[in-house]
Amino acid sequence: MSNRSLRAAIPALVWLAIFLLLPVVVLLTAQVEASDISRVLTRQSTWRIAWFSLWQALASVIATFALALPLTWFIGRHQFRGRGVVRAFASVGFFLPSVVVAAGFIALLPTRLHVSLAAMIAAHAYFNIAVVLRVIAPRLETFDIGLLAAARTLGAGALRTFTSVAWPAMRTAVVSAAGVVFIYCFTSYAVVRTLGGVTRNTIESDIAVRAYAIGDLGGAVVLSLVQVVVIATVVLLGRALARDAATAPRRTTLTLTAAAGVRAIVGAVIIVATLTVVAAPLIALAISSLQVGDTWSFAGWRSLIDNGAVAATPESAPAAATSAFALVDSLVTSGRTAVLAAIVALVLATGLARTVVRLGTRGRWLDAVSMVPLIVSPVTLGLGLVVTFDSGWYDWRGTWWFVAVVHSVVGLPLAVRVLVPVWRNVAPSLRDAAAVLGATPRQRFIDIDLRLLRPALVAAAGLVAAVSLGEFGAASMLSRSGAETLPVMIARLLGRTGDLVRTQAFVLATVLVVACVSALLLVESGARNHSHPRDNTHA
Amino acid sequence: MHLPDVVPSRMRRTLPRTRRTLIGLLVLVTLTAAGCAQDASRSQDNGGADTSTNDSTVTTDAPVTLTLLAHDSFTPSETIFDAFTADTGIVVRVVRGGDAGAIVTKAVVSAGNPEGDVLWGVDNTLLSRAVDANVFTPYVTVHRDDLDAAGVALAPDGVVTPVDSGDVCINYDKQWFAERRINPPLTLQALASANYRNLLVAPSPLTSSPGLAFMLASIAEFGDEWTQWWTTLRDNGVLIVDSWSHAYYSHFTAASDGERPIVVSYATSPPAEVIFADPRPTEAPTAVAALTCFRQYEFAGILRGTKHEAAAQKLIDFLVSRQFQEDLPLTQFVWPSNRNATVPQEFLDYSLRPENPLILDPTIIAARRAEWLDTFSDVVLR
């Protein structure tokens, strides 16, 4: 049984080995000498930067929870109209490329705050609202509120009720969310660079400086290993803390209450406040897309649909604007890349998740392996891919689908995160019953598992697609002419001279926001038809 | 990340199994076909190339497609290569791969197995890094005698070919200084004066190519004293940001709501301010301090390991031909390297070409860049 179930995980493991492990190892052997290791480890700035990465990530985790918990509580405990839509909108920040969010913050904030620790941590919190919301709210939904009443009846005080009833049930989800937010903030690059300012360096931003500005590739690769070690240590610590909570109560009936009276008002305030925070930088982006220099103009939008609009600008230099053709091309490329990445990641994640679920507690290592793509530096991975797939039949650097392949690797952890908990709740009794009725294993998998998992599969595919739409690091390394993804195009336009070019960048950013919101709404509608989970013993 | 744990409340009717299988197959076939088509066109290119490699007299039936790797600021007119294709049958595909530092780094790690055939945009601050890594195959262009001699002198054996040049200088907001009746700073030394406290914004040399040029300008100007000057500048409230665009479009008073009227930018920024404006002003709102300029030369070179060497040589010739060079000023705001190229009048009208710019030998830059950047980090960015 064990060997058979491991077999389903093999494609995903091979995929990770080829497109994640191999490039890093190749880069390591090609560029790193023993002296690089001692040089980097003995340099004082290495540890100063590592320390800054660590504490800013912890501070960002706290800020994220402060921003996201009120909404998470309300959504997790209450049923109300438009719940799915609120959840989709609140999540959008996570899927936008950091260049876009940073541009939105800069458009929104007064100049004085453009470069500050506060702006940087606020942007980190903004990004990660979705993580807290999506990891913790489902746990809250299924928490049996009757347990609290029971504890009270038995004489427990508020504090005692919290520490011995509520917290143990929530601990796994909280630690899991904190861990993911921590990883994202620790490896943050564009936000640190743009909003944190040049005096603040994380390991990831120092890797880029070493690799590109200084040309110290050996040092850059060693730093990315330091990063893996630090993150792995912190995450393993977190897992150790959460371990005994693995016996968290089995899910029970959904116990959402309708919001009424004071609660409804409180809820409305929370929703309005959170969505205002989420929307503000995005609205600032949209406003910027309607301005060329200081004047209001639709020129940016016109250039998206009509090449002539740009050409007609009197004698302005041809480079004043990128042609509509190139802009629409990047839209198509992004869409195509996202769809392919989602399909590949879904197939791989399904096999991997199946094995993780089958192996139960023995599958923890596999679960951990599926998270590895999150902690590998995108700069290092991108360079590794350029070095590894460089000749003969495997010179894939110029192909459009290579970016999708890399996105399938980057999106895999999220897809696995979505599938595993849902799969765990598919009652074994259903499969047993089907087996008794004569269904083959293949039939059981298709007719029971896949069918029950469909909403989760849709959700996983949507998330991978959204991640692919927003991914910048690897895409900027591998993107090709006529096949540049939206984030890459936006970053390039923002770096150029000319007001119209900048406006076009904001137009594309606005389009990207709309695309991401649509993908998320699709995910919500995929899940909505099935939003009344049942006690699995009755399913 | 978990989404809501969901288990459907009822079995839903779905497409019949056969139809689902068919759809799946269809998707697979489409994807495979797309992949194969891509491969086929690639191998065709390579086949055509093999016969023409190292022998420019052999003509082949299959059209050669050259990949021109460039930095993100490479923005020629979109149809510029059509004439070249018509003349030679060679198709040019432009691939932009990040800033100048990023493309050079990628060229270095893939030296011998390049991502393209020709690289555009390695400058004199990065040249030695690429040359030392044996990235290029030398070629002396047929236009060599027409090119800017100072640029050619930086790569005398033709390992790369100078394609354009420009100057990184202090720019200031003319109106801001006129309104306050303050004289703008005309030298680097002046920037350290208390008159200009909190007025300068500059991109960091660690993350920006003009930022690096500005640091090198200070080294060319002050020699070993450069760190003292930066210390004074730091105490005088210089704002260092990550990128040129952030400095210019978020902090410079003439181009944003910012509060800094002095910025590190290009000598060609004033014409850009005029030419991109609608309606165009009669004079540029910004001006350049000529004595603060550091000259950047950009080069193009044939990447060692290309399968299309003969075609790549033709492309190098085209890149420094009058036709291509005359397109540069108004599309990329740089000066052509070919001295026979006609520079548009509007560009000449608003541009400043410093006569004695600050310069540094590329080999010295290569040898000490890392050390200088570390020093800069320690002194200015702490």
Side-chain angles (χ1 to χ4, degrees):
Chain A
M1 183 66 191
S2 169
N3 284 342
R4 278 178 46 102
S5 41
L6 202 53
R7 205 165 59 190
I10 287 174
L13 293 177
V14 169
W15 200 255
L16 290 181
I18 295 177
F19 295 111
L20 189 72
L21 189 61
L22 182 67
V24 174
V25 170
V26 167
L27 193 65
L28 199 67
T29 50
Q31 301 291 341
V32 178
E33 291 161 14
S35 65
D36 289 326
I37 299 173
S38 55
R39 183 169 54 87
V40 169
L41 294 185
T42 53
R43 192 169 48 214
Q44 211 187 346
S45 68
T46 302
W47 301 108
R48 197 184 63 222
I49 289 167
W51 169 239
F52 176 73
S53 307
L54 187 66
W55 79 253
Q56 67 82 20
L58 293 172
S60 299
V61 170
I62 293 168
T64 308
F65 273 78
L67 181 59
L69 270 187
L71 184 69
T72 305
W73 164 76
F74 193 75
I75 284 193
R77 293 302 319 161
H78 302 89
Q79 184 62 265
F80 56 92
R81 273 183 62 139
R83 190 165 167 266
V85 175
V86 170
R87 193 162 48 189
F89 274 111
S91 307
V92 70
F94 184 70
F95 302 99
L96 297 175
S98 38
V99 279
V100 169
V101 171
F105 266 70
I106 284 177
L108 183 72
L109 292 173
T111 314
R112 197 163 33 84
L113 288 176
H114 277 186
V115 174
S116 63
L117 191 62
M120 178 183 134
I121 288 180
H124 282 166
Y126 181 88
F127 267 114
N128 290 303
I129 293 173
V131 178
V132 174
L133 183 63
R134 304 257 161 182
V135 175
I136 298 180
R139 185 66 68 200
L140 275 170
E141 279 170 14
T142 54
F143 178 69
D144 188 354
I145 202 131
L147 288 175
L148 296 182
R152 290 289 181 84
T153 314
L154 292 171
L159 184 65
R160 180 68 197 269
T161 309
F162 178 79
T163 54
S164 30
V165 181
W167 173 243
M170 300 304 303
R171 185 163 48 189
T172 323
V174 170
V175 171
S176 167
V180 174
V181 175
F182 174 81
I183 292 176
Y184 277 117
C185 296
F186 193 97
T187 58
S188 168
Y189 167 55
V191 166
V192 172
R193 177 55 44 80
T194 322
L195 297 173
V198 289
T199 58
R200 301 187 179 89
N201 268 313
T202 56
I203 294 182
E204 186 67 32
S205 70
D206 202 42
I207 289 172
V209 165
R210 301 260 142 223
Y212 299 147
I214 301 182
D216 173 15
L217 283 167
V221 176
V222 173
L223 271 178
S224 62
L225 295 182
V226 170
Q227 173 157 305
V228 167
V229 170
V230 174
I231 295 176
T233 308
V234 174
V235 170
L236 288 177
L237 269 176
R239 282 183 161 248
L241 280 177
R243 170 151 300 178
D244 47 354
T247 56
R250 298 285 296 187
R251 53 181 296 123
T252 55
T253 323
L254 196 67
T255 57
L256 297 186
T257 50
V262 181
R263 284 238 171 155
I265 297 168
V266 172
V269 169
I270 290 173
I271 288 170
V272 169
T274 313
L275 291 192
T276 306
V277 170
V278 170
L282 307 181
I283 291 169
L285 280 180
I287 291 174
S288 299
S289 80
L290 293 170
Q291 289 178 315
V292 177
D294 290 335
T295 48
W296 293 92
S297 163
F298 283 105
W301 286 96
R302 270 207 312 275
S303 70
L304 188 66
I305 43 177
D306 178 13
N307 216 353
V310 178
T313 317
E315 286 164 45
S316 69
T322 305
S323 76
F325 185 67
L327 298 186
V328 173
D329 252 11
S330 70
L331 278 174
V332 173
T333 301
S334 269
R336 187 169 67 171
T337 306
V339 169
L340 181 57
I343 293 172
V344 174
L346 195 60
V347 171
L348 298 174
T350 307
L352 194 60
R354 187 185 192 200
T355 310
V356 169
V357 172
R358 288 264 178 97
L359 290 179
T361 49
R362 286 176 299 138
R364 291 180 81 103
W365 65 272
L366 204 56
D367 201 26
V369 166
S370 75
M371 297 292 280
V372 170
L374 291 182
I375 66 175
V376 172
S377 148
V379 172
T380 308
L381 177 59
L383 280 176
L385 291 165
V386 167
V387 180
T388 308
F389 300 97
D390 67 340
S391 65
W393 59 270
Y394 54 86
D395 183 357
W396 296 326
R397 293 171 299 185
T399 59
W400 70 269
W401 50 264
F402 200 42
V403 177
V405 165
V406 178
H407 286 175
S408 73
V409 171
V410 178
L412 189 68
L414 293 179
V416 173
R417 295 292 83 204
V418 172
L419 293 179
V420 166
V422 182
W423 215 325
R424 284 221 167 101
N425 288 318
V426 173
S429 56
L430 278 177
R431 269 183 232 113
D432 297 343
V436 170
L437 294 172
T440 65
R442 178 182 299 272
Q443 282 173 327
R444 293 204 298 268
F445 176 67
I446 292 172
D447 282 341
I448 296 183
D449 289 308
L450 283 193
R451 193 171 290 222
L452 291 175
L453 280 174
R454 206 176 47 174
L457 291 171
V458 171
L463 289 178
V464 176
V467 165
S468 169
L469 283 176
E471 202 277 340
F472 175 72
S476 72
M477 286 281 181
L478 300 167
S479 263
R480 284 301 168 254
S481 153
E484 288 158 331
T485 64
L486 276 177
V488 174
M489 190 78 163
I490 292 168
R492 281 178 194 173
L493 292 176
L494 280 176
R496 279 193 208 152
T497 313
D499 289 330
L500 182 55
V501 177
R502 295 179 62 72
T503 304
Q504 287 183 320
F506 291 121
V507 168
L508 280 187
T510 309
V511 171
L512 186 60
V513 170
V514 173
C516 281
V517 171
S518 310
L520 285 164
L521 285 175
L522 199 71
V523 170
E524 288 296 341
S525 70
R528 188 173 305 147
N529 295 334
H530 310 280
S531 60
H532 298 286
R534 293 289 156 85
D535 183 341
N536 57 25
T537 55
H538 301 155
Chain B
M1 187 154 59
H2 309 237
L3 279 189
D5 300 359
V6 276
V7 176
S9 53
R10 60 197 163 92
M11 295 287 186
R12 294 170 59 81
R13 276 194 61 79
T14 53
L15 291 172
R17 175 104 45 84
T18 47
R19 198 170 352 146
R20 276 182 297 170
T21 317
L22 268 178
I23 292 172
L25 272 176
L26 201 67
V27 170
L28 264 179
V29 169
T30 317
L31 289 173
T32 320
C36 290
Q38 197 104 8
D39 287 346
S41 70
R42 288 178 61 82
S43 57
Q44 199 178 24
D45 295 348
N46 294 344
D50 287 334
T51 48
S52 66
T53 303
N54 298 325
D55 185 358
S56 56
T57 59
V58 175
T59 52
T60 55
D61 297 328
V64 173
T65 298
L66 285 183
T67 299
L68 175 60
L69 297 179
H71 51 59
D72 291 344
S73 314
F74 181 71
T75 52
S77 301
E78 297 210 348
T79 54
I80 192 77
F81 291 109
D82 292 356
F84 177 68
T85 305
D87 283 353
T88 61
I90 299 166
V91 178
V92 179
R93 200 166 62 109
V94 177
V95 169
R96 297 183 186 85
D99 63 12
I103 58 166
V104 169
T105 299
K106 282 202 279 179
V108 166
V109 297
S110 55
N113 276 327
E115 290 186 86
D117 306 291
V118 172
L119 181 77
W120 169 288
V122 54
D123 67 21
N124 49 324
T125 67
L126 295 164
L127 181 60
S128 294
R129 194 209 293 177
V131 171
D132 292 348
N134 198 11
V135 164
F136 298 110
T137 293
Y139 169 64
V140 176
T141 170
V142 296
H143 298 295
R144 176 181 172 123
D145 293 342
D146 301 330
L147 303 183
D148 181 342
V152 173
L154 293 173
D157 52 356
V159 64
V160 286
T161 305
V163 285
D164 64 54
S165 63
D167 300 278
V168 171
C169 316
I170 291 295
N171 280 219
Y172 55 87
D173 180 348
K174 288 200 289 198
Q175 193 189 349
W176 193 95
F177 284 97
E179 279 172 0
R180 289 165 183 75
R181 298 170 193 252
I182 304 174
N183 290 324
L186 298 180
T187 62
L188 291 179
Q189 189 63 56
L191 286 172
S193 145
N195 289 343
Y196 306 117
R197 172 171 285 277
N198 298 332
L199 298 187
L200 171 64
V201 57
S204 165
L206 288 154
T207 49
S208 150
S209 150
L212 179 61
F214 185 57
M215 183 188 85
L216 296 175
S218 74
I219 295 170
E221 173 92 359
F222 301 112
D224 290 341
E225 318 275 284
W226 72 280
T227 51
Q228 279 96 306
W229 181 73
W230 275 103
T231 310
T232 321
L233 220 54
R234 190 192 67 204
D235 297 341
N236 209 24
V238 62
L239 176 64
I240 311 275
V241 296
D242 62 312
S243 65
W244 168 83
S245 56
H246 195 185
Y248 202 84
Y249 286 111
S250 291
H251 294 282
F252 185 40
T253 49
S256 70
D257 304 331
E259 291 165 351
R260 305 241 165 189
I262 312 173
V263 67
V264 171
S265 189
Y266 299 90
T268 48
S269 299
E273 285 290 338
V274 174
I275 291 164
F276 283 149
D278 184 23
R280 290 190 187 181
T282 49
E283 66 171 305
T286 60
V288 165
L291 297 175
T292 63
C293 296
F294 183 86
R295 181 147 302 169
Q296 283 183 313
Y297 292 93
E298 282 196 305
F299 304 87
I302 299 172
L303 290 163
R304 183 172 62 83
T306 171
K307 296 191 175 71
H308 309 263
E309 191 166 335
Q313 293 175 350
K314 287 184 191 164
L315 180 58
I316 292 283
D317 289 339
F318 178 72
L319 292 175
V320 288
S321 69
R322 276 187 58 183
Q323 187 179 9
F324 189 86
Q325 291 275 304
E326 287 176 358
D327 182 61
L328 287 172
L330 289 186
T331 57
Q332 293 168 67
F333 290 86
V334 289
W335 294 88
S337 172
N338 190 325
R339 287 171 299 189
N340 296 334
T342 310
V343 177
Q345 191 58 42
E346 53 188 337
F347 188 76
L348 290 171
D349 286 347
Y350 301 102
S351 295
L352 175 134
R353 184 67 163 166
E355 284 174 15
N356 293 304
L358 299 162
I359 45 168
L360 280 178
D361 184 341
T363 52
I364 297 179
I365 298 174
R368 303 193 60 185
R369 190 206 303 106
E371 168 207 333
W372 284 335
L373 288 173
D374 275 340
T375 308
F376 185 92
S377 271
D378 290 344
V379 172
V380 187
L381 301 183
R382 50 173 210 195

